[in-house]
Amino acid sequence: MEVVTRYGDHKSELEERIRALEGEQTSLITDISALKERLTELELERHASSLANEVEALRTEKAVLEEKISSYTVESASSTEGYQV
């Protein structure tokens, strides 16, 4: 009879441990999924910020080049006007 009782106690302990481990497993899976999503979001934000900086630098470079071209065009037009007969 004592052996049966010990078996029953041991079985109950194992079942309780299994439930606790399954609960922790579910919680960890949920946490990991949320962390992966957050990491992906942070990586996308960093990439978007980096691209925005690069695009702004390119816009600035384009504007500078257009301004230089414009100044040469104005100079060119002024110098050719002096040569007209």
Side-chain angles (χ1 to χ4, degrees):
M1 184 74 172
E2 186 178 317
V3 171
V4 173
T5 304
R6 278 190 288 174
Y7 172 75
D9 290 344
H10 186 63
K11 181 182 176 195
S12 295
E13 288 173 10
L14 288 173
E15 288 171 342
E16 184 178 326
R17 183 169 180 232
I18 287 170
R19 279 192 297 275
L21 289 168
E22 287 173 340
E24 185 177 5
Q25 179 185 36
T26 300
S27 176
L28 288 168
I29 288 170
T30 301
D31 290 348
I32 288 169
S33 177
L35 290 168
K36 284 180 177 179
E37 286 180 30
R38 181 65 180 139
L39 179 61
T40 299
E41 182 181 337
L42 290 170
E43 289 172 340
L44 288 172
E45 285 175 0
R46 178 178 284 175
H47 187 63
S49 177
S50 176
L51 282 174
N53 291 337
E54 289 179 32
V55 166
E56 187 57 36
L58 290 169
R59 286 178 183 155
T60 301
E61 183 179 0
K62 178 184 175 189
V64 168
L65 292 171
E66 288 174 336
E67 189 174 317
K68 283 183 178 181
I69 289 171
S70 175
S71 71
Y72 281 112
T73 305
V74 170
E75 283 179 17
S76 206
S78 296
S79 45
T80 56
E81 287 177 9
Y83 291 112
Q84 291 179 355
V85 179

